[in-house]
Amino acid sequence: MTVVSNTSEALKSPYEDTLKRLLSDARAEAVESSVSELERLAIAHDASHYLLVPAGLVRPDSAEDVANIFRAAGDLGLPLTFRSGGTSLSGQSSGDGLMVDTRRHFKKIEVLEDGKKVRVQPGATIMMVNNYLAPYGYKLGPDPASWSACTIGGVVANNSSGMSSGTKYNTYNTLDSMVFVLPSGTIIDTAEPDADQKLRSLEPELHEGLLRLRKRVLENPESMAKIRQQYSMKNTMGYGLNSLVDFETPVDILQHLLIGSEGTLGFVASATYRTLPILKNISTGLLVFDNLIDAARSVPELVANKLATVELMDATSIRVAQRTGQAAEALAAIDVKDHAALLVEFQGNSEQELSDLAAAAAPMFKSLPVASPVSMTSKLSERNALWAARRGLYTTVAGNRRSGTNALLEDVVVPVEVLGNTCSDLTKLFDSHGYKDSVIFGHAKDGNIHFMLNEQFRDPKQLDRYRDFTEEMVQLILGNEGSLKAEHGTGRIMAPFVSRQFGEELFDVMRQIKRLIDPKGFMNPGVLLVEPDTDYVTNLKVAETVEEEVDRCVECGYCEPVCPSRNLTLTPRQRIV
């Protein structure tokens, strides 16, 4: 076990000499770089509970710069990790080699076809892109709760989804094309009509290898059945093996393998999305139930009645929202015992469509075992008040944790029909392991729930408790045919469990994918794909006790996109570090 504190020990890297050689290499020396201890420590911290301090960082401003860095790093065996928004929760943007900062220079946004498409570089946030699209009446499909701070680079790398995007409107299903850089330095624009021929000419072994792996999967009935089952729900564990089934040409397969690959297979220099029309007619309501089971068991019926959004909040989540003093009236009025709530929403193209949806669902609403009458509102101020509680749960709960502890936000998915029992069993796990005030919330429509617990990693006994809890949680989710990651990415935390979720055959297919694309293995090692016996409780971050105001910081990174000094000096998160 290794726990990392903000000391001089954390600044030591085994790759310092190798990095000096890279920075003197003609292929990389023109790129903006730094080996400053201050900058290295500042950029090391993200929203996860892992901490590896890089030996240095570079800030390229073109795909060609990245290609040159890849060639030099590959030749030197220098591990490389990408950092963009730093909102990742699973440790995928931490590394002790070279940190490639793609946020500062890759921010170009180009609206295409009157808003029906948009071409975006990885440093732009979801909010920035949607602000560009709004005058045209369109928006991006992915809608993560961290939309104000998370960047397109992370959204592509994790195949992030969100509140209402589900699997239908994530990056995998709304991407039109991309420009990517392979570890060899090869640059491919998949929008070009000869992209597949170019890939075959420049990367013949990779081109042939992807066809071979596709054939291997298609000819194995057990593999096909497993892939169909796993990708019938949100799933960001391991590589997206559905790419091998859904697409025939290697360039299309590779493009979709890069989605959700967490910086382990290449760099996406730009992504062109097919956008969605903004539905301006919306009504929102809060359904309050006596208990979590009743709430979860109502989800299939709500989905059948065309509710676009169904967000779950358990009793602890409701109490947290009430403590802020800013909860919507419907939330503030609950005398919380074992209650749970579902934040639901109808969305339509017109007032008439919205009215028709509500009328069709009225009998269903009357039959639900709710604790209070159902009321929907189209008033923007009331809708915003309801959503504020849900969107602010992570920062509110984490910010009120005990000083010296880390907030862990986990992300799982199960078939909707077993969501209620899964939530109940998860609550029992919290109780049996002594995790008080842990919350369950999330995207119930998709069977996707998030849960948060606070842990003190400096104490070996509590670290053992965390291991024991994790093992039982893994058994629970996989026993219910779920996925251990739905939208936050595999990262370091769940990488050792990929083989258990997919089985040895498909795990080996993933290993072959990694060897084909990154044969030198220098792209973000330790993330997404590791051997099953890898210890996931190493390089853990210890939260230091400083003072009350500072201790509230959970390093989420939400402050950084709006920080006026972000490109001149340190951001609030970095100053606190």
Side-chain angles (χ1 to χ4, degrees), residues 1-2 49-50 90 408 410 457 463-474 490-497 500 526 530-541:
M1 177 200 71
T2 306
H49 51 285
Y50 289 93
S90 303
L408 284 69
E410 283 298 348
F457 289 134
L463 195 63
D464 287 340
R465 173 178 71 162
Y466 175 59
R467 286 181 189 272
D468 293 341
F469 169 84
T470 299
E471 178 60 36
E472 290 185 39
M473 183 272 293
V474 167
T490 311
R492 296 178 179 276
I493 177 62
M494 284 299 153
F497 301 100
R500 196 187 303 188
V530 299
E531 293 306 309
D533 60 353
T534 302
D535 188 2
Y536 59 90
V537 291
T538 189
N539 297 307
L540 296 173
K541 181 165 58 182

Side-chain angles (χ1 to χ4, degrees), residues 469-486:
F469 169 84
T470 299
E471 178 60 36
E472 290 185 39
M473 183 272 293
V474 167
Q475 292 177 21
L476 170 63
I477 301 304
L478 297 187
N480 285 337
E481 296 191 320
S483 173
L484 298 169
K485 284 293 176 182

Side-chain angles (χ1 to χ4, degrees), residues 168-204:
K168 188 176 182 180
Y169 300 120
N170 59 15
T171 298
Y172 185 91
N173 284 311
T174 60
L175 185 88
D176 187 71
S177 64
M178 67 166 64
V179 176
F180 62 75
V181 185
L182 294 176
S184 62
T186 295
I187 302 175
I188 300 286
D189 182 350
T190 66
E192 295 177 351
D194 63 343
D196 192 64
Q197 293 94 317
K198 185 177 179 181
L199 179 66
R200 181 171 56 190
S201 172
L202 296 175
E203 303 279 351

Side-chain angles (χ1 to χ4, degrees), residues 123-260:
T125 65
I126 292 280
M127 184 171 70
M128 290 167 59
V129 180
N130 282 341
N131 285 344
Y132 269 72
L133 289 169
Y136 299 88
Y138 290 91
K139 64 176 183 177
L140 288 171
D143 59 339
S146 57
W147 66 289
S148 65
C150 69
T151 61
I152 292 295
V155 169
V156 175
N158 294 325
N159 195 24
S160 306
S161 44
M163 305 286 186
S164 59
S165 57
T167 56
K168 188 176 182 180
Y169 300 120
N170 59 15
T171 298
Y172 185 91
N173 284 311
T174 60
L175 185 88
D176 187 71
S177 64
M178 67 166 64
V179 176
F180 62 75
V181 185
L182 294 176
S184 62
T186 295
I187 302 175
I188 300 286
D189 182 350
T190 66
E192 295 177 351
D194 63 343
D196 192 64
Q197 293 94 317
K198 185 177 179 181
L199 179 66
R200 181 171 56 190
S201 172
L202 296 175
E203 303 279 351
E205 290 184 15
L206 172 56
H207 192 278
E208 188 276 331
L210 290 173
L211 289 174
R212 185 175 65 249
L213 288 175
R214 182 173 193 269
K215 184 172 184 289
R216 173 176 169 179
V217 167
L218 291 176
E219 292 180 352
N220 187 321
E222 290 183 4
S223 292
M224 289 293 291
K226 187 70 173 178
I227 288 173
R228 279 194 294 268
Q229 185 272 325
Q230 286 287 296
Y231 296 99
S232 64
M233 55 190 170
K234 288 183 178 182
N235 191 344
T236 58
M237 276 288 278
Y239 293 125
L241 296 181
N242 49 339
S243 306
L244 296 168
V245 177
D246 295 341
F247 301 95
E248 296 181 2
T249 60
V251 76
D252 288 329
I253 294 170
L254 180 54
Q255 173 176 256
H256 287 83
L257 280 171
L258 284 165
I259 298 169

Side-chain angles (χ1 to χ4, degrees), residues 107-121 124 128-129 132-133 136 140 152 179 270-275:
K107 291 185 176 178
K108 187 175 180 181
I109 301 169
E110 186 179 359
V111 177
L112 308 171
E113 299 180 19
D114 292 325
K116 292 179 182 176
K117 292 182 181 179
V118 63
R119 183 180 297 122
V120 193
Q121 290 188 326
M128 290 167 59
V129 180
Y132 269 72
L133 289 169
Y136 299 88
L140 288 171
I152 292 295
V179 176
S270 76
T272 301
Y273 280 87
R274 298 181 296 275
T275 60

Side-chain angles (χ1 to χ4, degrees), residues 205-386:
E205 290 184 15
L206 172 56
H207 192 278
E208 188 276 331
L210 290 173
L211 289 174
R212 185 175 65 249
L213 288 175
R214 182 173 193 269
K215 184 172 184 289
R216 173 176 169 179
V217 167
L218 291 176
E219 292 180 352
N220 187 321
E222 290 183 4
S223 292
M224 289 293 291
K226 187 70 173 178
I227 288 173
R228 279 194 294 268
Q229 185 272 325
Q230 286 287 296
Y231 296 99
S232 64
M233 55 190 170
K234 288 183 178 182
N235 191 344
T236 58
M237 276 288 278
Y239 293 125
L241 296 181
N242 49 339
S243 306
L244 296 168
V245 177
D246 295 341
F247 301 95
E248 296 181 2
T249 60
V251 76
D252 288 329
I253 294 170
L254 180 54
Q255 173 176 256
H256 287 83
L257 280 171
L258 284 165
I259 298 169
S261 64
E262 302 176 32
T264 64
L265 299 180
F267 171 64
V268 178
S270 76
T272 301
Y273 280 87
R274 298 181 296 275
T275 60
L276 305 181
I278 296 172
L279 302 179
K280 296 182 178 179
N281 295 276
I282 301 171
S283 63
T284 307
L286 190 75
L287 312 184
V288 181
F289 298 82
D290 288 328
N291 56 71
L292 192 58
I293 294 292
D294 284 349
R297 286 178 178 166
S298 301
V299 172
E301 199 170 357
L302 293 166
V303 174
N305 279 270
K306 301 182 180 180
L307 271 299
T309 302
V310 183
E311 292 291 301
L312 173 69
M313 291 184 284
D314 71 352
T316 308
S317 301
I318 298 170
R319 291 190 190 98
V320 167
Q322 290 176 337
R323 282 185 216 137
T324 65
Q326 299 175 339
E329 184 178 341
L331 271 171
I334 303 171
D335 181 14
V336 187
K337 296 181 177 63
D338 297 321
H339 292 81
L342 294 175
L343 182 63
V344 300
E345 204 164 71
F346 285 119
Q347 299 176 2
N349 288 299
S350 65
E351 288 187 14
Q352 185 60 53
E353 183 180 353
L354 200 66
S355 178
D356 291 345
L357 287 169
M364 178 270 300
F365 279 142
K366 288 181 181 178
S367 68
L368 290 177
V370 290
S372 57
V374 176
S375 176
M376 305 290 289
T377 179
S378 294
K379 273 191 175 181
L380 183 60
S381 59
E382 295 175 358
R383 291 181 50 244
N384 286 342
L386 287 168

